[in-house]
């Protein structure tokens, strides 16, 4: 199946490993990604904080370009891009906002927008994913972290439960990991203020990571480059602030799925994280003997 | 947080509620102060006006109190408030509207570094069509006179192949510029009507006109 691919700015820079692992995993699962020709920045948090017209125009241009390439669905791995593109599609469909005259508003509004979890669950399917697993990552106990924009606001995201989503856990379970139960799945990490109000972002990161750790997680799974960058790069400061020894690799869901599909960790970008993620490969594939039954 | 009390005279703008409601499309008068928004707000602990207080101040027409609050700039846009509001008010959208009105009406932002960052961000998108962290952080660092804030982190990220200072630009950047120009024209109209309203409303200080220029988001 062919899907338009909207990497967004961060997948070409700070989230290079999200780009690498998404392309590798989708390729291995038979999802052909066709990058949107001449795509532009979706505007992220800056534009809707300033102007509705800019928000719809910038994100909407990408949808119109995808439609022009004959695509009916677009994969936006970045959760922020996903939210902005969906918002634009809805606004254009409702006649709120318009694109430059040489772009087709209605064609743009008709493009269906997928995040990576939705694509894995509904364009690939759990059964198909499970069938292709060659190296189950059974040593991993990830905390599945969704943050804000994958599930909120529900009228825009139209994806999973906004308070207790479970799609990431379903994917992690299918590739052999054991996601932990925890209570900070959808708490905001403060990424939109990470530069302008760094101490506030560090406080939120510390809160999320200490809870993940105390729930027994040995890594955090994410599907948003803003969350990944914030939780990864501010982890040292968060550890200092909370007094906890934090050492949690923050991995994209596609890196974890890629490992289970037997793809090369280097090709998936595992060496690019600030908190070392390469040692997790060893942990992932350790298959300790099942402990004897209690009392046995 | 301080609310005026006793002899303190508070100027209220009777049109403010209507203005914010019309601009945001949200039924602000429907807020009945259950504070569920604030209970879930990640920034409630360190803000001067919590989300429910922002809503109450709008209802009371306390225009300057709201537009001058740091709360409208510390909002992370996480939309927890919007998702949970039992009155179906999109509070995150109201925050967007308040930021836009604050910039248009020339009120000095309580956290000027936030609109500054947005302005640099959008300036780069306007020029090249795409965002790039290297010039973004460099420009922000220089303009806040703290160029070394995240330099070490930047170096580490560069060594990990996570920064790409020479990322490609959009070829049809002219089309992107037209999107900006149209949005600007619409914002100018809105700013004009905001000023007209505030000039009509008695007892409303004109605000800090000098920062009005800084408030033009995408220049």
């Amino acid at each position: 199946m062919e899907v338009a691919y909207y990497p967004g700015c961060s997948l070409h820079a700070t989230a290079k490993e999200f780009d690498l692992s998404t392309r590798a995993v989708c390729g291995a699962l038979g999802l052909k990604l066709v990058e949107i020709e001449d795509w532009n920045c979706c505007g992220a948090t800056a534009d809707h904080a300033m102007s509705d017209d800019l928000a719809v125009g910038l994100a909407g241009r990408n949808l119109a370009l995808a439609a022009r390439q004959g695509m009916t669905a677009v994969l936006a791995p970045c959760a922020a891009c996903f939210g902005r593109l969906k918002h634009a599609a809805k606004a254009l469909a409702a006649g709120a906002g318009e694109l430059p005259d040489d772009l087709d508003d209605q064609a743009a509004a008709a493009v269906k927008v997928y995040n990576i979890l939705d694509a894995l669950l509904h364009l690939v399917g759990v059964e198909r994913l499970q069938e292709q697993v060659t190296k189950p990552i059974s040593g991993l106990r990830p905390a599945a972290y969704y943050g804000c924009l994958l599930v909120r606001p529900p009228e825009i995201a139209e994806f999973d439960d906004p308070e207790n989503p479970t799609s990431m856990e379903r994917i992690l379970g299918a590739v052999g990991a054991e996601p932990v139960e925890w209570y900070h799945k959808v708490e905001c990490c403060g990424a939109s203020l990470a530069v302008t109000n760094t101490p506030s972002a560090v406080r939120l990161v510390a809160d999320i990571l200490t809870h993940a750790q105390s729930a027994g997680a040995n890594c955090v799974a994410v599907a948003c480059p803003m969350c990944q960058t914030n939780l990864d790069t501010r982890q040292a400061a968060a550890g200092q602030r909370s007094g906890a020894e934090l050492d949690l690799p923050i991995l994209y869901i596609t890196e974890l799925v890629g490992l289970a599909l037997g793809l090369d960790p280097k090709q998936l970008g595992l060496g690019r994280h600030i908190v070392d993620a390469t040692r997790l490969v060893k942990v992932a594939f350790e298959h300790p003997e099942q402990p004897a039954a209690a009392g046995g | 947080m301080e609310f005026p009390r006793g002899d303190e005279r508070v100027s209220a703008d009777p049109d403010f509620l209507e203005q914010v409601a019309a601009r945001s499309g949200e039924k602000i008068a429907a807020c009945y102060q259950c504070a569920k928004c604030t209970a879930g707000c990640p920034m409630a602990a360190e803000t001067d006006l919590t989300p429910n207080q922002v809503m109450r101040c709008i209802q009371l027409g306390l225009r300057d109190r709201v537009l001058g609050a740091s709360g409208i700039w510390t909002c992370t846009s996480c939309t927890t408030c919007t998702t949970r509001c039992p009155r179906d008010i999109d509070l995150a959208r109201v925050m967007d509207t308040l930021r836009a009105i604050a910039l248009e009406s020339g009120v000095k932002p309580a956290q000027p570094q936030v609109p500054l960052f947005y302005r640099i961000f959008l300036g780069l998108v306007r020029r090249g069509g795409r965002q790039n962290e290297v010039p973004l952080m460099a420009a922000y660092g220089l303009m806040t006179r703290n160029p070394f804030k995240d330099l070490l982190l930047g170096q580490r990220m560069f060594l990990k192949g996570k920064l790409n200072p020479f990322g490609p630009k959009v070829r049809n950047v002219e089309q992107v510029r037209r999107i900006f120009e149209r949005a600007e024209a619409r914002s100018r109209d809105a700013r004009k009507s905001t000023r007209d309203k505030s000039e009509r409303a008695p007892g409303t200080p004109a605000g800090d006109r000098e920062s009005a220029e800084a408030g033009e988001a995408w220049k």
Side-chain angles (χ1 to χ4, degrees), chain B:
Chain B
M1 119 122 241
E2 295 172 358
F3 266 121
R5 59 188 91 110
D7 293 337
E8 199 179 334
R9 292 176 74 92
V10 185
S11 64
D13 174 355
D15 292 335
F16 190 55
L17 169 61
E18 191 199 335
Q19 185 196 350
V20 181
R23 178 88 175 260
S24 65
E26 297 299 320
K27 296 189 192 92
I28 293 161
C31 171
Y32 53 27
Q33 290 293 308
C34 72
K36 202 175 176 188
C37 48
T38 298
C41 175
M43 296 302 289
E46 48 183 294
T47 187
D48 56 351
L49 276 189
T50 61
N52 69 299
Q53 287 169 341
V54 167
M55 297 300 281
R56 190 68 186 129
C57 286
I58 301 171
Q59 289 174 339
L60 295 172
L62 300 177
R63 183 177 185 279
D64 296 340
R65 183 80 184 88
V66 174
L67 298 183
S70 75
I72 63 175
W73 297 106
T74 51
C75 163
T76 64
S77 301
C78 76
T79 66
T80 306
C81 49
T82 296
T83 303
R84 294 183 181 171
C85 177
R87 303 294 275 158
D88 283 329
I89 302 170
D90 185 347
L91 274 87
R93 162 119 189 114
V94 175
M95 292 290 184
D96 281 346
T97 304
L98 292 172
R99 287 187 278 259
I101 296 177
L103 293 176
E104 286 160 12
S105 51
V107 175
K108 194 174 161 59
Q111 302 230 342
Q113 78 279 15
V114 179
L116 172 71
F117 183 73
Y118 291 158
R119 207 175 78 209
I120 297 169
F121 186 104
L122 291 174
L124 287 165
V125 174
R126 183 183 190 138
R127 269 195 288 283
R130 291 187 192 169
Q131 195 45 262
N132 190 317
E133 287 96 345
V134 179
L136 176 67
M137 293 306 290
Y140 179 76
L142 286 173
M143 299 206 41
T144 51
R145 299 195 180 89
N146 190 8
F148 305 116
K149 178 174 172 283
D150 280 320
L151 194 65
L152 254 172
L153 188 57
Q155 271 178 353
R156 291 186 69 190
M157 293 180 81
F158 183 74
L159 293 173
K160 296 271 181 188
K162 288 168 87 74
L163 294 179
N164 179 12
F166 309 108
K169 292 184 174 182
V170 167
R171 282 193 309 277
N172 191 354
V173 80
E174 177 51 35
Q175 204 168 40
V176 174
R177 281 197 196 124
R178 271 188 282 146
I179 294 170
F180 272 89
E181 277 156 18
R182 179 166 2 210
E184 259 173 15
R186 299 267 295 250
S187 168
R188 260 196 307 272
D189 295 345
R191 194 178 310 141
K192 191 168 173 295
S193 83
T194 304
R195 289 228 171 109
D196 291 348
K197 278 217 172 81
S198 68
E199 273 153 25
R200 260 192 295 134
T204 307
D208 182 357
R209 292 281 185 225
E210 266 175 47
S211 64
E213 219 154 300
E216 287 189 13
W218 37 64
K219 284 279 159 89

Side-chain angles (χ1 to χ4, degrees), chain A:
Chain A
M1 181 185 178
E2 274 196 356
V3 183
Y5 181 55
Y6 179 72
C9 304
S10 46
L11 271 75
H12 275 208
T14 47
K16 187 70 191 160
E17 64 273 28
F18 199 11
D19 184 57
L20 293 171
S21 54
T22 298
R23 288 178 195 267
V25 163
C26 289
L29 294 171
L31 208 55
K32 191 175 176 225
L33 303 181
V34 182
E35 188 160 332
I36 298 174
E37 276 282 315
D38 208 36
W39 57 267
N40 61 271
C41 170
C42 71
T45 317
D47 65 358
H48 69 86
M50 301 288 197
S51 151
D52 293 334
D53 302 289
L54 200 54
V56 176
L58 285 177
R61 176 175 179 268
N62 299 300
L63 296 172
L65 294 180
R68 194 181 274 178
Q69 278 174 262
M71 310 304 268
T72 54
V74 56
L75 169 64
C78 167
C81 297
F82 163 72
R84 297 324 302 162
L85 294 184
K86 282 213 79 163
H87 174 264
K90 283 180 173 294
L92 288 169
E98 48 194 349
L99 300 176
D101 295 340
D102 44 347
L103 294 171
D104 185 341
D105 290 15
Q106 286 317 305
V111 175
K112 191 162 164 36
V113 185
Y114 286 86
N115 63 48
I116 186 67
L117 301 177
D118 205 4
L120 289 174
L121 285 175
H122 298 115
L123 297 179
V124 176
V126 173
E127 294 78 19
R128 174 120 167 259
L129 179 60
Q130 230 156 0
E131 281 164 20
Q132 296 217 33
V133 171
T134 57
K135 289 180 164 184
I137 49 172
S138 55
L140 293 190
R141 295 187 311 279
Y145 177 65
Y146 298 77
C148 319
L149 299 167
L150 281 175
V151 292
R152 281 200 304 261
E155 296 77 21
I156 297 291
E158 294 174 314
F159 175 73
D160 212 333
D161 186 293
E163 300 288 355
N164 186 21
T166 50
S167 16
M168 212 185 304
E169 280 91 342
R170 281 170 64 204
I171 294 166
L172 290 166
V175 298
E178 286 177 50
V180 300
E181 285 282 341
W182 73 312
Y183 304 100
H184 280 56
K185 284 183 189 186
V186 295
E187 294 295 320
C188 173
C189 75
S192 63
L193 298 176
V195 174
T196 50
N197 279 320
T198 309
S200 306
V202 168
R203 173 177 65 86
L204 297 172
V205 168
D207 203 28
I208 289 162
L209 293 180
T210 50
H211 277 86
Q213 192 160 270
S214 63
N218 58 6
C219 60
V220 177
V222 296
C224 170
M226 305 300 129
C227 298
Q228 200 285 333
T229 304
N230 199 28
L231 296 178
D232 191 18
T233 63
R234 307 286 176 196
Q235 189 162 154
Q240 273 173 6
R241 186 197 150 95
S242 64
E245 263 185 54
L246 293 173
D247 187 23
L248 285 169
I250 315 295
L251 289 147
Y252 290 107
I253 184 78
T254 40
E255 291 178 287
L256 294 167
V257 171
L259 285 176
L261 296 178
L263 301 173
D264 175 13
K266 214 171 181 178
Q267 186 199 349
L268 295 168
L270 251 72
R272 291 168 179 264
H273 298 295
I274 299 292
V275 176
D276 178 36
T278 51
R279 71 189 152 80
L280 264 195
V281 180
K282 198 164 157 275
V283 178
F285 300 134
E286 274 172 8
H287 298 267
E289 299 261 329
Q290 288 297 313

